[in-house]
Amino acid sequence: MPKLQLIATVPMGLEAVVAREIKELGYEDMQVENGRVTFAGDEAAICRANLWLRTADRLLVKMGEFRATTFDELFEGVKALPWPDWIPERGEFPVEGRSHKSQLSSVPACQGIVKKAIVEKMKQRYRTDWFEETGARYVVDVALLNDIATLTIDTTGPSLHKRGYRKLVTEAPLKETMAAAIVLLSRWNAERPFVDPFCGSGTFPIEAAMIGWNIAPGLRRSFPAEAWPNVPQRLWQEARDEAYDLLRDDVPLDIAGSDIDPAAIEVAQAAAKAAGLAKELRLTVQPVAKTRLVGEFGCIATNPPYGERIGDRDEVEKALRQLGSVAAGHPDWSMFVLSPSRQLEHYIGRPATKKRKLFNGRIECALYQFHAPGGLYRRSTNS
């Protein structure tokens, strides 16, 4: 099959994590940029990437890229692209758009031009002046950055963080993609215990379990591209068969989550049940001070309350000090804390080994990484 240019859109700060995932899928011809990873793949890559990418937001087919400083340049550039090769006569093709640091700053105007240009191109192929748009959905995106227009079609639909297991949410849920990224950054594996003492709706424990069992995160959901003639059902079935073959649900897991809020634990338990992991996770109501770390070379990964949206700042500070005390008693455990607090190291009682700038939604945070001396990768490298 001919190579396609595919774009995995990425939360800022996680580009390297997504690139590593893409490489592990077997696609090495890639370009990493802010907010996206572009890579070469065939139609089967659309299926496999949607099913397997844990940390990307969505997967796009790149139709073309060109300079456009006038509406005429935008129209002609869009019209020159092979839209009928992808969009059938009855396909639905809404146009979305963004513009940043570009002369064509009116997004609605750009959307209208792109729509008109695609229609004109499709008229040439289908010999009709009217398109009903009653068929499969092809969301076209025009992104203008520094006067360069990038045209894509979205294969994913709702963002990849929507795994399908979380029907209810707590007040400030962490996205599944972010939780998975932090677990991957921790280099945790299923041979080691895992604990989240501020688990909220259970995202960290569930994502850790999915990684531990090698569950493809998109296995329980559908994608618009499943209805596209260009991506035959056979390829989707082969990708799903591969995912089921690679599942390791016979591996024992030692994963626990706790939260002081009983309602949050109810939400977490419902999500774990929906994910098929209810019997594998220990989810309990308790304050962080009661956390017990059992076993060697374990991993704490957590997203404590921030104080701005949840709870009182004094209570948050107290909880973070308690977290520091819990961790201090187990120097062979590593700890990864996502927080916007610049005082977190002070509350924890020791400096982080490493800090990584990340965004939880629109909130600028740091991932504070406290590596266990000699213990962080010991089980990973020996397994």
Side-chain angles (χ1 to χ4, degrees), residues 227-245:
W228 296 2
N230 291 54
V231 191
Q233 281 298 311
R234 170 183 58 83
L235 297 180
W236 287 102
Q237 189 58 53
E238 289 175 358
R240 285 194 159 86
D241 288 345
E242 176 191 36
Y244 281 115
D245 288 344

Side-chain angles (χ1 to χ4, degrees), residues 174-194:
L174 182 69
K175 278 189 176 181
E176 294 86 338
T177 43
M178 178 62 73
I182 292 171
V183 175
L184 291 175
L185 286 168
S186 78
R187 301 296 179 92
W188 173 84
N189 66 38
E191 294 184 6
R192 300 163 56 199
F194 182 97

Side-chain angles (χ1 to χ4, degrees), residues 3-161:
K3 292 291 186 180
L4 307 172
Q5 286 294 300
L6 302 174
I7 299 174
T9 62
V10 184
M12 294 294 289
L14 296 181
E15 293 86 354
V17 181
V18 173
R20 190 172 81 192
E21 285 196 274
I22 292 170
K23 185 175 182 180
E24 289 175 351
L25 285 174
Y27 308 107
E28 298 193 4
D29 182 7
M30 72 178 77
Q31 180 180 358
V32 181
E33 303 171 86
N34 288 337
R36 66 181 186 179
V37 179
T38 303
F39 65 102
D42 55 14
E43 284 79 357
I46 293 175
C47 311
R48 298 182 68 239
N50 271 306
L51 289 179
W52 280 104
L53 290 181
R54 299 182 189 279
T55 59
D57 285 332
R58 60 186 68 250
L59 184 73
L60 314 174
V61 176
K62 183 177 178 180
M63 296 297 292
E65 192 170 83
F66 52 88
R67 183 173 177 81
T69 57
T70 68
F71 288 130
D72 285 343
E73 289 178 341
L74 180 62
F75 180 88
E76 294 300 331
V78 173
K79 187 180 176 183
L81 300 176
W83 301 103
D85 290 353
W86 285 90
I87 305 174
E89 184 175 351
R90 295 183 180 275
E92 179 188 4
F93 52 102
V95 177
E96 298 180 352
R98 291 164 287 126
S99 179
H100 184 63
K101 295 182 179 179
S102 296
Q103 295 183 52
L104 298 179
S105 59
S106 172
V107 173
C110 292
Q111 289 172 276
I113 292 293
V114 170
K115 182 78 173 186
K116 183 179 178 181
I118 295 174
V119 168
E120 290 302 313
K121 182 71 171 189
M122 292 179 65
K123 283 180 180 180
Q124 296 175 357
R125 170 76 62 89
Y126 298 116
R127 305 298 181 186
T128 181
D129 291 329
W130 177 254
F131 296 96
E132 295 182 2
E133 298 195 46
T134 56
R137 186 173 173 85
Y138 300 76
V139 177
V140 176
D141 184 82
V142 52
L144 288 149
L145 176 63
N146 296 323
D147 294 324
I148 301 297
T150 303
L151 278 296
T152 59
I153 303 177
D154 178 19
T155 74
T156 300
S159 172
L160 288 171
H161 83 270

Side-chain angles (χ1 to χ4, degrees), residues 361-377:
R362 295 184 178 182
I363 301 175
E364 182 177 332
C365 297
L367 176 61
Y368 293 87
Q369 305 175 45
F370 300 88
H371 296 177
L376 178 60
Y377 301 117

Side-chain angles (χ1 to χ4, degrees), residues 290-312:
K290 297 291 185 180
T291 302
R292 296 293 177 263
L293 305 181
V294 180
E296 295 181 319
F297 308 113
C299 177
I300 299 170
T302 194
N303 177 218
Y306 296 166
E308 289 84 355
R309 293 190 296 176
I310 310 173
D312 178 79

Side-chain angles (χ1 to χ4, degrees), residues 159-372:
S159 172
L160 288 171
H161 83 270
K162 294 183 179 296
R163 315 288 205 217
Y165 63 73
R166 191 161 71 177
K167 308 300 181 184
L168 303 172
V169 296
T170 52
E171 185 177 348
L174 182 69
K175 278 189 176 181
E176 294 86 338
T177 43
M178 178 62 73
I182 292 171
V183 175
L184 291 175
L185 286 168
S186 78
R187 301 296 179 92
W188 173 84
N189 66 38
E191 294 184 6
R192 300 163 56 199
F194 182 97
V195 172
D196 178 2
F198 299 99
C199 75
S201 57
T203 310
F204 266 126
I206 293 171
E207 291 296 320
M210 293 178 71
I211 290 170
W213 274 5
N214 202 36
I215 300 172
L219 201 52
R220 293 173 172 266
R221 57 165 288 177
S222 60
F223 306 91
E226 291 184 67
W228 296 2
N230 291 54
V231 191
Q233 281 298 311
R234 170 183 58 83
L235 297 180
W236 287 102
Q237 189 58 53
E238 289 175 358
R240 285 194 159 86
D241 288 345
E242 176 191 36
Y244 281 115
D245 288 344
L246 294 172
L247 188 65
R248 301 197 308 263
D249 58 359
D250 58 339
V251 174
L253 299 175
D254 183 2
I255 298 176
S258 58
D259 200 283
I260 198 170
D261 182 2
I265 293 299
E266 286 186 15
V267 172
Q269 290 171 336
K273 183 177 180 180
L277 296 164
K279 295 181 180 179
E280 312 305 322
L281 307 180
R282 301 189 308 279
L283 301 170
T284 57
V285 179
Q286 67 178 20
V288 63
K290 297 291 185 180
T291 302
R292 296 293 177 263
L293 305 181
V294 180
E296 295 181 319
F297 308 113
C299 177
I300 299 170
T302 194
N303 177 218
Y306 296 166
E308 289 84 355
R309 293 190 296 176
I310 310 173
D312 178 79
R313 291 190 179 186
D314 291 340
E315 288 299 315
V316 169
E317 178 183 334
K318 178 181 177 182
L320 290 175
R321 291 184 185 278
Q322 291 171 341
L323 174 62
S325 296
V326 169
H330 298 268
D332 62 331
W333 279 56
S334 57
M335 182 166 65
F336 296 77
V337 185
L338 182 68
S339 175
S341 173
R342 297 183 179 182
Q343 301 297 316
L344 185 127
E345 292 164 297
H346 171 69
Y347 299 145
I348 294 295
R350 57 179 164 132
T353 311
K354 187 177 180 181
K355 289 183 282 188
R356 189 187 193 106
K357 182 179 177 180
L358 294 175
F359 284 85
N360 184 8
R362 295 184 178 182
I363 301 175
E364 182 177 332
C365 297
L367 176 61
Y368 293 87
Q369 305 175 45
F370 300 88
H371 296 177

